[in-house]
Amino acid sequence: MLLTLTTTFYPATDLGYLLHKNPARLQSVEVAGGQAHVFYPEATAERCTAALLLDLDPVGLVRGRGGASGEGFALEQYVNDRPYVASSFLSAALSKAFGTAMNGTCKDRPNLPAQALPLEVKVAVVSAPGPDWPRRLFEPLGYEVDIETTPLDPTVPEWGDSRYYTLHLRHEGLRLQDVLTHLYVLLPVLDNDKHYYIGENEAEKLLHRGGDWLPQHPERGFITRRYLRYLAGIVNPTLLRLMEGDEVEEAPLEAVAAEETNKDVTPAADPSAAVESAEPKLSLHDQRLQQVAHEIYQLGPTRVLDLGCGEGKLLRLLLRQHKIEFIRGMDVSHQALSRAAQRLHLDEMPPRQRARIELVQGSLLYKDDRLSGFDAAALVEVIEHLDENRLAALEAVVFGQARPAHVFVTTPNADYNQLFNKLNAGDFRHDDHRFEWTRAEFATWAAGVAERHGYRVRVVAMGEEVENMGPPSQMAVFGPLS
């Protein structure tokens, strides 16, 4: 992937001082997954262009600590767009190669960083939700934006354009520090696929790099949510800090509360919960998985259970967390476990990675010694598939016998169901659900389990809350008393 910065400010070669990179020679730095090279295709007093070429090794991405998208075992990670598009890899390379310039420091010309320069930026290639989004992100910052589209196949024009674009930005007068900061934040927002795990430190980075301009940006909510990967527990506090007391825009409700169901269930129209159709959203199911994975990440456990693991979506997220040494996924369905093995590409994993995960068939209603000795256990959308009179057996197995230090239980919130215009009163979101609890019913059950088995518990929202109805889903987080 290639990014170029051009100025015609006289003498234009001052760009070398600002970037702390000599125009007379090639300079390279090691970055995650490869190398970043800085060179100058042109360097005269009238016009100077600095180029940042990011050379990512697809095999290195897989074998590195994180791997592309953190999935160092999937075949798709060897054949993907990561080496070719501007993404979080390029953002990290900007910070590594031009960190001093981004901080507004120039030892040799201390007054130069404050100088507004005419600047042109070319980024080839960006991945974006649509051709309008680069304009919506960069034009409010004063850039003139031109977009080059890329056809899916030039020989088949009826297929139309791909989601990849070449981005041209021009500004008549802006500090180089600001341009680098805008690129650092907004390129991964466009791409929406960070190569590392998102934690609290990402919010601090966003506040540090975006604090001067993001609060006034009309797309600040979109930027914040995508930069922080829709983690509500981080997004909303970050927006509060950005706005410093101004009215905070809530993260939008899902247009479709996807429950991995065959029902065509959509929320009723509500002008107060309008969704921008141009913004692709994570499904509610994926939001739940991300939130559970984030809670587990914050604990830093070494041994984790995924109970009712299904086709392995949470397992994929857990495998990205390198502190976890061993993960056991259990499901009653042999077919689901077979699909999980295929989705996770277990037969293609390197031996060391393969040793971190085991899939086993079993029921949560019967004592099983394989469930003992774990730091954390997740039951994501599991309990509502059991008859309520069987929950006591599950409770005895998970909380009474296995006794992981922390347990995460998620389930739909029945109070929210009235927003689904194709659900009649008393209907469930999925044909296989045996019950769906209100917030009060779930809180009562969770408190009883905690009291009976010596845990403390907190109940947290999953998804955006609606007044008097709560969130789409809810999670009980059980932990030790001390």
Side-chain angles (χ1 to χ4, degrees), residues 247-479:
E247 184 178 353
V248 177
E249 50 188 312
E250 293 293 334
L253 294 172
E254 290 300 314
V256 177
E259 289 288 340
E260 287 203 327
T261 172
N262 294 325
K263 281 190 175 181
D264 182 18
V265 179
T266 55
D270 180 358
S272 68
V275 177
E276 297 173 350
S277 60
E279 179 183 344
K281 309 292 194 304
L282 288 179
S283 71
L284 178 58
H285 181 68
D286 287 338
Q287 284 189 51
R288 282 195 299 260
L289 296 174
Q290 290 269 7
Q291 192 167 343
V292 172
H294 179 68
E295 290 272 358
I296 292 173
Y297 174 79
Q298 290 184 307
L299 290 176
T302 58
R303 292 173 59 84
V304 179
L305 284 169
D306 182 3
L307 301 176
C309 63
E311 297 183 3
K313 289 186 175 181
L314 179 60
L315 295 172
R316 293 177 69 179
L317 297 176
L318 296 177
L319 280 165
R320 301 178 186 180
Q321 301 183 24
H322 299 285
K323 290 183 179 180
I324 300 179
E325 298 173 1
F326 181 71
I327 305 163
R328 178 168 286 151
M330 173 182 277
D331 201 280
V332 70
S333 167
H334 176 75
Q335 185 178 18
L337 292 171
S338 295
R339 286 197 295 267
Q342 292 172 359
R343 293 175 66 117
L344 295 170
H345 300 273
L346 293 188
D347 57 346
E348 299 171 15
M349 281 189 188
R352 190 172 178 181
Q353 181 82 328
R354 182 66 183 85
R356 294 179 63 212
I357 184 168
E358 180 184 30
L359 302 181
V360 297
Q361 186 175 14
S363 170
L364 298 179
L365 304 180
Y366 303 98
K367 181 179 179 180
D368 193 327
D369 292 337
R370 295 174 298 178
L371 305 183
S372 300
F374 286 84
D375 306 310
L379 294 91
V380 178
E381 309 302 284
V382 170
I383 60 172
E384 66 273 10
H385 292 272
L386 301 175
D387 292 325
E388 282 193 75
N389 60 10
R390 307 299 299 277
L391 288 179
L394 178 143
E395 177 186 332
V397 170
V398 175
F399 295 91
Q401 296 164 355
R403 294 196 61 80
H406 298 84
V407 184
F408 304 88
V409 181
T410 80
T411 194
N413 166 26
D415 293 327
Y416 189 89
N417 285 356
Q418 58 188 294
L419 286 179
F420 296 100
N421 55 18
K422 292 189 179 181
L423 283 183
N424 297 319
D427 284 353
F428 297 148
R429 300 185 198 177
H430 194 284
D431 292 335
D432 191 48
H433 287 184
R434 300 297 191 266
F435 65 89
E436 289 178 3
W437 278 336
T438 65
R439 289 166 291 169
E441 289 170 329
F442 183 55
T444 299
W445 174 82
V449 170
E451 183 178 359
R452 288 188 289 273
H453 298 282
Y455 285 83
R456 58 179 172 82
V457 66
R458 58 186 172 92
V459 177
V460 299
M462 305 194 82
E464 294 306 312
E465 297 191 58
V466 176
E467 187 176 0
N468 299 323
M469 302 176 198
S473 290
Q474 47 197 340
M475 174 167 60
V477 181
F478 297 86

Side-chain angles (χ1 to χ4, degrees), residues 65-73 77 195 316 319-320 322 353:
R65 280 182 58 84
S69 298
E71 297 170 12
F73 50 85
Q77 301 310 316
H195 68 280
R316 293 177 69 179
L319 280 165
R320 301 178 186 180
H322 299 285
Q353 181 82 328

